[in-house]
Amino acid sequence: IVSRLISLYVSSFCSQGYFTSCQSGKLGIKLYRLVAVSFGLLCILQATLNISLRLWRYAEVTVVSQVLVDTIKTRWVYFSDRVYYISSTKKTWQDSRNDCLQKGADLMIINSKEEQLKDNVWIGLTDRETEGTWKWVDGTPLTTSYWAKNEPSKGFLGQREDCGEVMLHQMKENWNDKLCDEPNFWICEMNMIF
């Protein structure tokens, strides 16, 4: 079929005077070789691109997998498409948040009762901007809460308690507002959906 198409192509161009030497056999063979070489080069280019893209994708997945493995090995816990870092030392709320940010995460935002993993830990909840208006560290307002009885309170000995903590995670209502400068454990949260 290809040789027939080349013959038709050559004879139409010869009849219109585009070629000066119209020995259709020689010209057809040259044109056939040109098409075959071009097709071969296109196949080689396609194969090279396919291999390059697969290697690039494999390298990307390998890097992401290694980051996930390294992250989980260093005190991180996996739960529902997120990983959580549970501290073993105590810091103020702001120092705890800074530690999370350095890890590529932020203080934990609680979306469900099951997400409350540990007792006496800072969470990413504060009303520092406006007293009584609680917001998560990502700027979203608090809609679902698990405040303990009589919490949030108006403060302790005249000092504002502007930072949220989980007190007893086994209890449904267990949040407490606390002085932000008091040391506490904390939990960082990192979304693992890329």
Side-chain angles (χ1 to χ4, degrees), residues 107-156:
L107 283 172
M108 180 168 77
I109 295 173
I110 296 178
N111 299 304
S112 68
K113 167 73 177 113
E114 295 75 29
E115 210 171 2
Q116 301 179 89
L117 305 171
K118 189 169 174 13
D119 295 343
N120 301 312
V121 291
W122 290 126
I123 56 176
L125 187 62
T126 182
D127 73 341
R128 279 182 158 175
E129 285 182 23
T130 306
E131 181 65 26
T133 304
W134 290 88
K135 290 184 180 180
W136 293 107
V137 289
D138 67 357
T140 58
L142 175 64
T143 54
T144 302
S145 66
Y146 301 99
W147 292 112
K149 187 175 180 180
N150 300 320
E151 297 294 342
S153 60
K154 298 293 182 201
F156 179 73

Short mmCIF file of all heavy atoms in Angstrom, two decimals, residues 107-156:
data_model
loop_
_atom_site.label_atom_id
_atom_site.label_comp_id
_atom_site.label_asym_id
_atom_site.label_seq_id
_atom_site.Cartn_x
_atom_site.Cartn_y
_atom_site.Cartn_z
N LEU A 107 0.08 23.13 63.47
CA LEU A 107 -0.61 22.53 64.61
C LEU A 107 -1.89 21.86 64.12
O LEU A 107 -2.53 22.32 63.16
CB LEU A 107 -0.92 23.58 65.67
CG LEU A 107 0.26 24.01 66.53
CD1 LEU A 107 -0.12 25.20 67.41
CD2 LEU A 107 0.76 22.87 67.40
N MET A 108 -2.28 20.82 64.78
CA MET A 108 -3.39 19.98 64.36
C MET A 108 -4.72 20.74 64.35
O MET A 108 -5.04 21.47 65.28
CB MET A 108 -3.50 18.79 65.30
CG MET A 108 -4.61 17.84 64.96
SD MET A 108 -4.50 16.30 65.86
CE MET A 108 -5.10 16.79 67.45
N ILE A 109 -5.48 20.54 63.27
CA ILE A 109 -6.86 21.02 63.17
C ILE A 109 -7.74 19.79 63.34
O ILE A 109 -7.60 18.82 62.61
CB ILE A 109 -7.12 21.68 61.80
CG1 ILE A 109 -6.26 22.95 61.68
CG2 ILE A 109 -8.60 21.98 61.61
CD1 ILE A 109 -6.30 23.60 60.31
N ILE A 110 -8.64 19.84 64.30
CA ILE A 110 -9.46 18.67 64.62
C ILE A 110 -10.77 18.73 63.86
O ILE A 110 -11.54 19.68 64.00
CB ILE A 110 -9.70 18.57 66.14
CG1 ILE A 110 -8.35 18.33 66.83
CG2 ILE A 110 -10.70 17.46 66.45
CD1 ILE A 110 -8.42 18.27 68.32
N ASN A 111 -11.00 17.71 63.03
CA ASN A 111 -12.23 17.62 62.25
C ASN A 111 -13.17 16.54 62.75
O ASN A 111 -14.29 16.44 62.28
CB ASN A 111 -11.88 17.34 60.77
CG ASN A 111 -11.04 18.45 60.18
OD1 ASN A 111 -11.42 19.60 60.20
ND2 ASN A 111 -9.87 18.11 59.68
N SER A 112 -12.70 15.69 63.67
CA SER A 112 -13.53 14.61 64.19
C SER A 112 -13.05 14.22 65.58
O SER A 112 -11.90 14.47 65.95
CB SER A 112 -13.48 13.39 63.28
OG SER A 112 -12.20 12.81 63.32
N LYS A 113 -13.91 13.56 66.32
CA LYS A 113 -13.57 13.07 67.66
C LYS A 113 -12.39 12.11 67.58
O LYS A 113 -11.51 12.11 68.41
CB LYS A 113 -14.81 12.39 68.27
CG LYS A 113 -14.54 11.58 69.51
CD LYS A 113 -14.25 12.45 70.71
CE LYS A 113 -14.05 11.63 71.96
NZ LYS A 113 -12.71 11.67 72.47
N GLU A 114 -12.35 11.28 66.52
CA GLU A 114 -11.30 10.27 66.38
C GLU A 114 -9.91 10.90 66.17
O GLU A 114 -8.90 10.25 66.39
CB GLU A 114 -11.61 9.34 65.20
CG GLU A 114 -12.85 8.50 65.38
CD GLU A 114 -14.16 9.28 65.20
OE1 GLU A 114 -14.18 10.26 64.43
OE2 GLU A 114 -15.14 8.92 65.85
N GLU A 115 -9.90 12.13 65.73
CA GLU A 115 -8.62 12.79 65.44
C GLU A 115 -7.92 13.27 66.72
O GLU A 115 -6.77 13.68 66.67
CB GLU A 115 -8.89 13.97 64.50
CG GLU A 115 -7.76 14.29 63.59
CD GLU A 115 -8.14 15.32 62.53
OE1 GLU A 115 -9.26 15.83 62.51
OE2 GLU A 115 -7.25 15.60 61.73
N GLN A 116 -8.59 13.22 67.84
CA GLN A 116 -7.99 13.63 69.10
C GLN A 116 -7.16 12.47 69.63
O GLN A 116 -7.69 11.50 70.14
CB GLN A 116 -9.08 14.04 70.09
CG GLN A 116 -9.90 15.19 69.52
CD GLN A 116 -11.00 15.63 70.44
OE1 GLN A 116 -10.79 16.48 71.28
NE2 GLN A 116 -12.18 15.05 70.27
N LEU A 117 -5.84 12.58 69.47
CA LEU A 117 -4.96 11.42 69.64
C LEU A 117 -4.29 11.31 70.99
O LEU A 117 -3.83 10.24 71.36
CB LEU A 117 -3.86 11.47 68.56
CG LEU A 117 -4.35 11.57 67.11
CD1 LEU A 117 -3.19 11.84 66.18
CD2 LEU A 117 -5.08 10.30 66.72
N LYS A 118 -4.18 12.38 71.75
CA LYS A 118 -3.36 12.36 72.95
C LYS A 118 -3.87 13.39 73.95
O LYS A 118 -4.52 14.35 73.57
CB LYS A 118 -1.90 12.67 72.56
CG LYS A 118 -0.88 12.47 73.66
CD LYS A 118 0.51 12.53 73.07
CE LYS A 118 1.65 12.50 74.03
NZ LYS A 118 1.47 12.15 75.37
N ASP A 119 -3.54 13.19 75.22
CA ASP A 119 -3.94 14.12 76.28
C ASP A 119 -2.95 15.27 76.42
O ASP A 119 -1.75 15.10 76.18
CB ASP A 119 -4.00 13.39 77.64
CG ASP A 119 -5.08 12.32 77.66
OD1 ASP A 119 -5.97 12.35 76.80
OD2 ASP A 119 -5.02 11.46 78.55
N ASN A 120 -3.47 16.41 76.88
CA ASN A 120 -2.66 17.58 77.23
C ASN A 120 -1.71 17.99 76.10
O ASN A 120 -0.49 18.00 76.26
CB ASN A 120 -1.87 17.34 78.52
CG ASN A 120 -2.81 17.03 79.68
OD1 ASN A 120 -3.80 17.73 79.89
ND2 ASN A 120 -2.52 15.97 80.40
N VAL A 121 -2.28 18.33 74.95
CA VAL A 121 -1.49 18.78 73.79
C VAL A 121 -2.11 20.03 73.19
O VAL A 121 -3.33 20.20 73.18
CB VAL A 121 -1.40 17.69 72.70
CG1 VAL A 121 -0.55 16.51 73.15
CG2 VAL A 121 -2.77 17.24 72.23
N TRP A 122 -1.24 20.91 72.71
CA TRP A 122 -1.70 22.07 71.95
C TRP A 122 -2.33 21.60 70.65
O TRP A 122 -1.85 20.66 70.02
CB TRP A 122 -0.55 23.01 71.59
CG TRP A 122 0.08 23.78 72.70
CD1 TRP A 122 1.42 23.81 73.00
CD2 TRP A 122 -0.55 24.66 73.62
NE1 TRP A 122 1.64 24.65 74.04
CE2 TRP A 122 0.45 25.19 74.47
CE3 TRP A 122 -1.87 25.06 73.84
CZ2 TRP A 122 0.19 26.10 75.48
CZ3 TRP A 122 -2.13 25.95 74.86
CH2 TRP A 122 -1.12 26.46 75.68
N ILE A 123 -3.40 22.28 70.25
CA ILE A 123 -3.97 22.09 68.91
C ILE A 123 -3.95 23.46 68.22
O ILE A 123 -3.69 24.49 68.86
CB ILE A 123 -5.41 21.51 68.99
CG1 ILE A 123 -6.33 22.39 69.85
CG2 ILE A 123 -5.36 20.08 69.50
CD1 ILE A 123 -7.78 21.92 69.89
N GLY A 124 -4.22 23.47 66.95
CA GLY A 124 -4.12 24.70 66.16
C GLY A 124 -5.32 25.60 66.27
O GLY A 124 -5.88 26.04 65.27
N LEU A 125 -5.74 25.90 67.49
CA LEU A 125 -6.94 26.71 67.74
C LEU A 125 -6.59 27.88 68.65
O LEU A 125 -5.95 27.69 69.68
CB LEU A 125 -8.00 25.81 68.41
CG LEU A 125 -9.39 26.39 68.62
CD1 LEU A 125 -10.04 26.75 67.30
CD2 LEU A 125 -10.26 25.39 69.37
N THR A 126 -7.01 29.08 68.25
CA THR A 126 -6.70 30.26 69.06
C THR A 126 -7.76 31.35 68.87
O THR A 126 -8.43 31.40 67.84
CB THR A 126 -5.30 30.82 68.70
OG1 THR A 126 -5.00 31.93 69.54
CG2 THR A 126 -5.20 31.24 67.26
N ASP A 127 -7.88 32.20 69.88
CA ASP A 127 -8.72 33.41 69.75
C ASP A 127 -7.87 34.65 70.05
O ASP A 127 -8.37 35.65 70.56
CB ASP A 127 -9.97 33.33 70.63
CG ASP A 127 -9.71 33.50 72.13
OD1 ASP A 127 -8.54 33.32 72.56
OD2 ASP A 127 -10.65 33.80 72.87
N ARG A 128 -6.58 34.60 69.71
CA ARG A 128 -5.66 35.72 69.95
C ARG A 128 -6.08 36.99 69.21
O ARG A 128 -5.94 38.08 69.74
CB ARG A 128 -4.25 35.35 69.52
CG ARG A 128 -3.50 34.53 70.53
CD ARG A 128 -2.10 34.25 70.04
NE ARG A 128 -1.24 33.94 71.16
CZ ARG A 128 0.01 33.56 71.04
NH1 ARG A 128 0.55 33.45 69.85
NH2 ARG A 128 0.73 33.29 72.11
N GLU A 129 -6.59 36.85 67.98
CA GLU A 129 -6.97 38.03 67.20
C GLU A 129 -8.13 38.76 67.84
O GLU A 129 -8.08 39.97 68.04
CB GLU A 129 -7.34 37.64 65.77
CG GLU A 129 -6.17 37.31 64.89
CD GLU A 129 -6.61 36.97 63.47
OE1 GLU A 129 -7.72 37.39 63.04
OE2 GLU A 129 -5.85 36.26 62.79
N THR A 130 -9.21 38.04 68.13
CA THR A 130 -10.42 38.62 68.73
C THR A 130 -10.88 37.70 69.84
O THR A 130 -11.20 36.53 69.59
CB THR A 130 -11.54 38.76 67.67
OG1 THR A 130 -11.04 39.49 66.56
CG2 THR A 130 -12.74 39.48 68.25
N GLU A 131 -10.92 38.21 71.05
CA GLU A 131 -11.33 37.41 72.21
C GLU A 131 -12.71 36.83 71.97
O GLU A 131 -13.65 37.54 71.60
CB GLU A 131 -11.32 38.27 73.48
CG GLU A 131 -11.72 37.54 74.75
CD GLU A 131 -10.73 36.44 75.15
OE1 GLU A 131 -9.53 36.53 74.80
OE2 GLU A 131 -11.17 35.50 75.82
N GLY A 132 -12.80 35.50 72.12
CA GLY A 132 -14.08 34.81 71.96
C GLY A 132 -14.36 34.31 70.55
O GLY A 132 -15.31 33.57 70.33
N THR A 133 -13.56 34.74 69.56
CA THR A 133 -13.72 34.27 68.18
C THR A 133 -12.60 33.28 67.89
O THR A 133 -11.47 33.67 67.58
CB THR A 133 -13.67 35.45 67.18
OG1 THR A 133 -14.68 36.40 67.54
CG2 THR A 133 -13.91 34.96 65.77
N TRP A 134 -12.92 32.02 68.01
CA TRP A 134 -11.92 30.96 67.87
C TRP A 134 -11.73 30.60 66.41
O TRP A 134 -12.70 30.39 65.67
CB TRP A 134 -12.33 29.73 68.69
CG TRP A 134 -12.22 30.02 70.16
CD1 TRP A 134 -13.17 30.56 70.97
CD2 TRP A 134 -11.06 29.83 70.96
NE1 TRP A 134 -12.68 30.71 72.23
CE2 TRP A 134 -11.39 30.26 72.26
CE3 TRP A 134 -9.79 29.34 70.73
CZ2 TRP A 134 -10.48 30.22 73.31
CZ3 TRP A 134 -8.89 29.28 71.78
CH2 TRP A 134 -9.23 29.72 73.05
N LYS A 135 -10.46 30.53 66.00
CA LYS A 135 -10.11 30.17 64.62
C LYS A 135 -9.00 29.14 64.63
O LYS A 135 -8.17 29.12 65.53
CB LYS A 135 -9.62 31.40 63.84
CG LYS A 135 -10.69 32.41 63.54
CD LYS A 135 -10.13 33.54 62.69
CE LYS A 135 -11.18 34.57 62.39
NZ LYS A 135 -10.64 35.66 61.57
N TRP A 136 -9.01 28.33 63.57
CA TRP A 136 -7.93 27.38 63.38
C TRP A 136 -6.74 28.10 62.77
O TRP A 136 -6.87 29.19 62.22
CB TRP A 136 -8.38 26.23 62.46
CG TRP A 136 -9.44 25.38 63.09
CD1 TRP A 136 -10.77 25.35 62.78
CD2 TRP A 136 -9.27 24.46 64.17
NE1 TRP A 136 -11.43 24.45 63.59
CE2 TRP A 136 -10.52 23.89 64.44
CE3 TRP A 136 -8.16 24.04 64.92
CZ2 TRP A 136 -10.71 22.93 65.44
CZ3 TRP A 136 -8.36 23.09 65.91
CH2 TRP A 136 -9.61 22.54 66.16
N VAL A 137 -5.57 27.47 62.83
CA VAL A 137 -4.35 28.10 62.32
C VAL A 137 -4.40 28.38 60.82
O VAL A 137 -3.66 29.23 60.33
CB VAL A 137 -3.09 27.26 62.65
CG1 VAL A 137 -2.77 27.33 64.13
CG2 VAL A 137 -3.24 25.81 62.19
N ASP A 138 -5.27 27.71 60.08
CA ASP A 138 -5.41 28.01 58.64
C ASP A 138 -6.37 29.16 58.38
O ASP A 138 -6.66 29.48 57.23
CB ASP A 138 -5.81 26.75 57.86
CG ASP A 138 -7.21 26.26 58.19
OD1 ASP A 138 -7.89 26.84 59.07
OD2 ASP A 138 -7.65 25.28 57.55
N GLY A 139 -6.90 29.77 59.45
CA GLY A 139 -7.78 30.93 59.31
C GLY A 139 -9.26 30.59 59.28
O GLY A 139 -10.11 31.49 59.30
N THR A 140 -9.62 29.31 59.23
CA THR A 140 -11.03 28.95 59.19
C THR A 140 -11.64 29.07 60.59
O THR A 140 -10.99 28.77 61.59
CB THR A 140 -11.25 27.50 58.67
OG1 THR A 140 -10.52 26.60 59.50
CG2 THR A 140 -10.79 27.38 57.23
N PRO A 141 -12.90 29.52 60.65
CA PRO A 141 -13.55 29.66 61.96
C PRO A 141 -13.90 28.29 62.55
O PRO A 141 -14.10 27.32 61.82
CB PRO A 141 -14.81 30.46 61.65
CG PRO A 141 -15.08 30.23 60.20
CD PRO A 141 -13.75 29.97 59.55
N LEU A 142 -13.97 28.24 63.85
CA LEU A 142 -14.35 27.02 64.56
C LEU A 142 -15.85 26.79 64.34
O LEU A 142 -16.66 27.67 64.63
CB LEU A 142 -14.04 27.17 66.05
CG LEU A 142 -14.48 26.03 66.96
CD1 LEU A 142 -13.72 24.76 66.60
CD2 LEU A 142 -14.26 26.40 68.41
N THR A 143 -16.21 25.62 63.82
CA THR A 143 -17.64 25.30 63.62
C THR A 143 -18.06 24.13 64.51
O THR A 143 -19.09 24.18 65.13
CB THR A 143 -17.93 24.98 62.14
OG1 THR A 143 -17.05 23.95 61.70
CG2 THR A 143 -17.76 26.22 61.28
N THR A 144 -17.25 23.08 64.55
CA THR A 144 -17.53 21.93 65.41
C THR A 144 -16.51 21.96 66.55
O THR A 144 -15.32 22.09 66.30
CB THR A 144 -17.37 20.61 64.63
OG1 THR A 144 -18.26 20.64 63.52
CG2 THR A 144 -17.67 19.41 65.51
N SER A 145 -17.01 21.87 67.78
CA SER A 145 -16.08 21.95 68.91
C SER A 145 -16.36 20.86 69.92
O SER A 145 -17.43 20.25 69.94
CB SER A 145 -16.19 23.32 69.58
OG SER A 145 -17.46 23.48 70.17
N TYR A 146 -15.35 20.63 70.75
CA TYR A 146 -15.43 19.62 71.81
C TYR A 146 -14.99 20.24 73.14
O TYR A 146 -14.19 19.67 73.87
CB TYR A 146 -14.56 18.41 71.45
CG TYR A 146 -14.97 17.75 70.16
CD1 TYR A 146 -14.28 18.02 68.98
CD2 TYR A 146 -16.05 16.88 70.10
CE1 TYR A 146 -14.66 17.42 67.79
CE2 TYR A 146 -16.44 16.28 68.91
CZ TYR A 146 -15.74 16.56 67.77
OH TYR A 146 -16.13 15.97 66.59
N TRP A 147 -15.48 21.43 73.44
CA TRP A 147 -15.10 22.13 74.68
C TRP A 147 -15.58 21.35 75.91
O TRP A 147 -16.68 20.82 75.93
CB TRP A 147 -15.70 23.53 74.73
CG TRP A 147 -15.15 24.49 73.72
CD1 TRP A 147 -15.79 25.02 72.64
CD2 TRP A 147 -13.83 25.04 73.70
NE1 TRP A 147 -14.95 25.85 71.96
CE2 TRP A 147 -13.74 25.89 72.58
CE3 TRP A 147 -12.71 24.90 74.51
CZ2 TRP A 147 -12.60 26.60 72.25
CZ3 TRP A 147 -11.56 25.61 74.19
CH2 TRP A 147 -11.50 26.44 73.07
N ALA A 148 -14.75 21.32 76.92
CA ALA A 148 -15.14 20.74 78.21
C ALA A 148 -16.16 21.66 78.87
O ALA A 148 -16.34 22.82 78.46
CB ALA A 148 -13.91 20.57 79.11
N LYS A 149 -16.81 21.18 79.90
CA LYS A 149 -17.79 21.97 80.63
C LYS A 149 -17.13 23.26 81.14
O LYS A 149 -16.01 23.23 81.65
CB LYS A 149 -18.35 21.14 81.80
CG LYS A 149 -19.50 21.81 82.50
CD LYS A 149 -20.08 20.91 83.56
CE LYS A 149 -21.24 21.63 84.22
NZ LYS A 149 -21.86 20.82 85.25
N ASN A 150 -17.82 24.38 80.98
CA ASN A 150 -17.38 25.72 81.39
C ASN A 150 -16.17 26.22 80.60
O ASN A 150 -15.45 27.11 81.06
CB ASN A 150 -17.08 25.77 82.90
CG ASN A 150 -18.29 25.43 83.73
OD1 ASN A 150 -19.41 25.85 83.41
ND2 ASN A 150 -18.10 24.65 84.78
N GLU A 151 -15.92 25.65 79.46
CA GLU A 151 -14.84 26.10 78.58
C GLU A 151 -15.45 26.54 77.25
O GLU A 151 -16.48 26.02 76.85
CB GLU A 151 -13.81 24.98 78.35
CG GLU A 151 -13.09 24.50 79.59
CD GLU A 151 -12.19 25.54 80.22
OE1 GLU A 151 -11.83 26.53 79.55
OE2 GLU A 151 -11.83 25.37 81.39
N PRO A 152 -14.84 27.47 76.56
CA PRO A 152 -13.68 28.24 76.97
C PRO A 152 -14.04 29.22 78.08
O PRO A 152 -15.13 29.77 78.10
CB PRO A 152 -13.25 28.97 75.70
CG PRO A 152 -14.49 29.07 74.88
CD PRO A 152 -15.32 27.87 75.23
N SER A 153 -13.10 29.41 78.97
CA SER A 153 -13.33 30.32 80.10
C SER A 153 -12.84 31.71 79.75
O SER A 153 -12.21 31.93 78.72
CB SER A 153 -12.63 29.79 81.35
OG SER A 153 -11.24 29.70 81.12
N LYS A 154 -13.12 32.65 80.60
CA LYS A 154 -12.73 34.05 80.35
C LYS A 154 -11.29 34.35 80.73
O LYS A 154 -10.81 35.44 80.52
CB LYS A 154 -13.67 35.00 81.11
CG LYS A 154 -15.11 34.90 80.68
CD LYS A 154 -15.27 35.41 79.26
CE LYS A 154 -16.72 35.33 78.85
NZ LYS A 154 -16.92 35.33 77.44
N GLY A 155 -10.60 33.38 81.29
CA GLY A 155 -9.21 33.60 81.64
C GLY A 155 -8.90 33.08 83.02
O GLY A 155 -9.76 32.61 83.74
N PHE A 156 -7.63 33.20 83.38
CA PHE A 156 -7.15 32.70 84.66
C PHE A 156 -6.44 33.83 85.37
O PHE A 156 -5.45 34.36 84.86
CB PHE A 156 -6.22 31.51 84.42
CG PHE A 156 -5.64 30.92 85.66
CD1 PHE A 156 -6.42 30.17 86.50
CD2 PHE A 156 -4.31 31.14 85.99
CE1 PHE A 156 -5.89 29.61 87.65
CE2 PHE A 156 -3.78 30.60 87.15
CZ PHE A 156 -4.57 29.83 87.98
#
